[in-house]
Amino acid sequence: MSSISSDSLHEVLETIKNISSVDVAEAMASFNRHGIVSDTVMDYTRVVYEHGEDQLCRKLNEVGFSGEVKVVGKYIVHGGNAYAVYDPTIYTADEALSWLEDHYRNA
């Protein structure tokens, strides 16, 4: 993971703080139904997923994501950096990464 300036970190934390249930309604519905959702329905930058993961997970719970919330990510050829938000009581991190690869392959 790359380093981040304090100004950039502040921007990440402000972005997360301002998330509302309206902003993530589609992602929340999918997560609450399936226990996993890709970043394709949550328009946040790589920096948010990589440097604000704990805060993002807490905020998603606050706005209505049911269950535990974790983030995994990887570089996918022809897709770039990709992330999945998943419930670790349903998926292991490896299963979430496999799901993410399949999701991008079938997109």
Side-chain angles (χ1 to χ4, degrees), residues 5 8 19 49 56 60 65-68 71 76 78 82 87 106-107:
S5 72
S8 293
I19 293 172
Y49 292 104
L56 177 63
L60 294 176
F65 279 56
S66 298
E68 292 184 41
V71 174
I76 296 179
H78 306 298
D87 183 338
N106 297 323

Side-chain angles (χ1 to χ4, degrees), residues 7-27:
D7 287 343
S8 293
L9 181 59
H10 178 74
E11 288 177 31
V12 166
L13 297 177
E14 280 298 307
T15 297
I16 293 168
K17 179 178 141 190
N18 292 320
I19 293 172
S20 75
S21 59
V22 173
D23 297 332
V24 294
E26 181 183 352

Side-chain angles (χ1 to χ4, degrees), residues 11-98:
E11 288 177 31
V12 166
L13 297 177
E14 280 298 307
T15 297
I16 293 168
K17 179 178 141 190
N18 292 320
I19 293 172
S20 75
S21 59
V22 173
D23 297 332
V24 294
E26 181 183 352
M28 182 170 50
S30 184
F31 180 89
N32 290 346
R33 189 172 33 256
H34 304 291
I36 194 164
V37 66
S38 78
D39 61 332
T40 58
V41 293
M42 293 195 311
D43 191 26
Y44 302 114
T45 64
R46 171 186 63 81
V47 178
V48 170
Y49 292 104
E50 291 183 4
H51 295 282
E53 178 182 347
D54 292 340
Q55 296 88 342
L56 177 63
C57 292
R58 278 194 301 275
K59 184 65 174 188
L60 294 176
N61 271 142
E62 286 176 21
V63 299
F65 279 56
S66 298
E68 292 184 41
V69 179
K70 293 282 187 188
V71 174
V72 292
K74 72 177 297 177
Y75 180 80
I76 296 179
V77 177
H78 306 298
N81 291 321
Y83 301 89
V85 175
Y86 72 102
D87 183 338
T89 66
I90 299 172
Y91 296 91
T92 66
D94 287 340
E95 289 169 336
L97 287 170
S98 292

